[in-house]
């Protein structure tokens, strides 16, 4: 089971790799610009290209320190996919454009106004594909066909894995008396239920203090930890709750009761039942 620290470390390593790739791309572009740049073919000048590369390197560096900001990944992938398509790119441009949409979907970009956003994204994609008409109609149509082929192949791959996902739970039923691992959290209209496998009583106390609008300095002092340590803990907690920041947490769970529920992977013993007792922390009314 991957915990929140491992998850953040994984994406931090990914960000370091992305940053290094952009540095290499910039160096290669610098060395071979006279050979690869032709004013009559590319619409982006070398100066603008350098600026874009520099912004991408800075973005990669930001993601090293804030690895779970998937909106940055979404923006960079979407933007560079668009640039590649406009400049005559095919498979790479479509892949990057689609990856940007996937990152946006993961962060809930389509939860509000989904139809409007899908229409805008499709119109932008069609406009970028239409810009390739300057290379000739056959070239543009070949790009469109390659994009359709990519969608078909990707769709078949998804269907294939969906079938595996549907069959796997039936083929791997847990033994009698053994329950599958609990999800990190579940939510009802009035309760935020946290699994004891992922959260501790201290985590619940910290989250409840945040709901009570206590300042981080006061929480850190009460918990007997440093402010920087508290902020790292809170960031990990928000990551497990699929949240970005304190504002989103307060907005989503301001009127919820935070609960810690026992992990029920197996039949609990008396000691496990004692340690897994449900713990409730309710926000005091002001």
């Amino acid at each position: 089971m991957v915990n929140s620290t491992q998850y953040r470390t994984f994406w931090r390593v990914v960000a370091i790799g992305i940053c290094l790739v952009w540095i290499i791309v910039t160096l290669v572009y610098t060395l071979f610009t006279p050979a690869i740049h032709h004013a009559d073919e590319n619409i982006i000048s070398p100066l603008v290209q350098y600026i874009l590369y520099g912004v991408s390197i800075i973005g990669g560096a930001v993601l090293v320190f804030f690895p779970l900001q998937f909106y940055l990944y979404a923006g960079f992938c979407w933007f560079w996919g668009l640039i590649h398509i406009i400049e005559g790119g095919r498979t790479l441009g479509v892949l990057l454009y689609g990856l940007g949409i996937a990152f946006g979907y993961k962060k809930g970009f389509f939860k509000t106004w989904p139809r409007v956003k899908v229409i805008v994204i499709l119109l932008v994609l069609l406009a970028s594909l239409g810009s390739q008409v300057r290379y000739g109609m056959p070239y543009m149509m070949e790009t469109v066909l390659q994009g359709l082929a990519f969608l078909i192949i990707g769709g078949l791959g998804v269907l294939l894995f969906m079938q595996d996902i549907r069959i796997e739970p039936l083929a791997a039923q847990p033994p009698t008396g053994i329950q599958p691992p609990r999800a990190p959290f579940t939510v009802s209209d009035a309760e935020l239920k946290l699994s004891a496998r992922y959260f501790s009583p201290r985590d619940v106390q910290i989250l409840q203090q945040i709901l009570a609008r206590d300042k981080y300095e006061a929480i850190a002092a009460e918990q007997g930890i440093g402010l920087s340590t508290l902020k790292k803990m809170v960031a990990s907690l928000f990551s497990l709750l699929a949240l970005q920041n304190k504002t989103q947490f307060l907005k989503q769970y301001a009127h919820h009761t935070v609960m810690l529920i026992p992990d029920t992977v197996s039949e609990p013993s008396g000691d496990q039942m004692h340690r897994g007792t449900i713990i409730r922390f309710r926000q005091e009314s002001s």
Side-chain angles (χ1 to χ4, degrees):
M1 185 70 64
V2 178
N3 57 40
S4 60
T5 301
Q6 292 172 327
Y7 189 65
R8 291 174 65 86
T9 301
F10 170 79
W11 282 105
R12 182 169 283 114
V13 172
V14 170
I16 292 173
I18 290 174
C19 193
L20 291 175
V21 167
W22 279 117
I23 292 174
I24 294 172
V25 168
T26 304
L27 292 175
V28 171
Y29 184 81
T30 301
L31 294 174
F32 298 100
T33 294
I36 64 175
H37 181 74
H38 302 282
D40 58 337
E41 295 181 3
N42 297 325
I43 64 174
I44 299 179
S45 66
L47 177 60
V48 174
Q49 196 84 3
Y50 279 122
I51 294 175
L52 295 178
Y53 287 158
V55 171
S56 299
I57 293 172
I58 294 173
V62 170
L63 288 168
V64 173
F65 296 98
F66 304 98
L68 301 183
Q69 299 301 316
F70 291 142
Y71 273 124
L72 288 177
Y73 284 103
F76 278 121
C77 291
W78 180 84
F79 175 77
W80 278 109
L82 196 63
I83 292 297
H84 275 287
I85 294 173
I86 292 175
E87 288 206 318
R90 290 172 173 166
T91 305
L92 178 60
V94 174
L95 283 173
L96 284 172
Y97 195 88
L99 188 59
I101 295 173
F103 272 114
Y105 177 82
K106 179 170 179 62
K107 295 306 297 182
F109 178 73
F110 295 98
K111 288 183 179 180
T112 58
W113 304 93
R115 294 183 180 179
V116 174
K117 292 177 179 178
V118 169
I119 291 174
V120 170
I121 287 173
L122 289 177
L123 289 176
V124 172
L125 177 60
L126 291 175
S128 63
L129 290 172
S131 69
Q132 291 191 0
V133 72
R134 68 186 187 279
Y135 298 111
M137 185 61 69
Y139 188 95
M140 185 185 72
M141 293 307 301
E142 186 175 352
T143 301
V144 172
L145 292 176
Q146 286 188 9
L148 291 175
F150 164 73
L151 291 177
I152 293 173
I153 294 172
L156 290 175
V158 170
L159 291 175
L160 178 63
F161 282 105
M162 284 180 63
Q163 184 68 15
D164 291 340
I165 293 172
R166 290 175 180 173
I167 293 174
E168 182 64 23
L170 299 176
Q173 291 290 338
T176 304
I178 304 297
Q179 299 182 8
R182 189 183 297 276
F185 70 96
T186 55
V187 182
S188 65
D189 291 338
E191 296 174 331
L192 172 60
K193 302 177 181 179
L194 310 180
S195 171
R197 170 176 283 248
Y198 302 91
F199 298 89
S200 68
R202 170 185 266 190
D203 295 334
V204 179
Q205 291 176 341
I206 291 173
L207 290 174
Q208 190 61 33
Q209 287 176 293
I210 294 174
L211 286 179
R213 312 280 177 161
D214 291 349
K215 294 184 177 181
Y216 280 177
E217 291 81 359
I219 298 175
E222 184 172 336
Q223 296 294 330
I225 57 178
L227 181 59
S228 61
T229 301
L230 174 68
K231 289 182 178 180
K232 291 179 181 179
M233 291 175 61
V234 171
S236 296
L237 295 177
F238 288 163
S239 175
L240 283 171
L241 293 171
L243 300 170
Q244 286 188 312
N245 50 44
K246 176 182 176 181
T247 301
Q248 189 177 4
F249 174 65
L250 291 174
K251 181 179 179 181
Q252 193 161 336
Y253 298 113
H255 304 291
H256 283 67
T257 297
V258 183
M259 301 174 56
L260 185 68
I261 56 178
D263 179 40
T264 53
V265 175
S266 59
E267 291 294 332
S269 63
D271 180 63
Q272 289 175 325
M273 291 179 65
H274 174 71
R275 289 187 289 107
T277 302
I278 294 178
I279 302 174
R280 294 173 181 259
F281 297 88
R282 292 187 178 274
Q283 181 177 352
E284 297 181 359
S285 58
S286 55

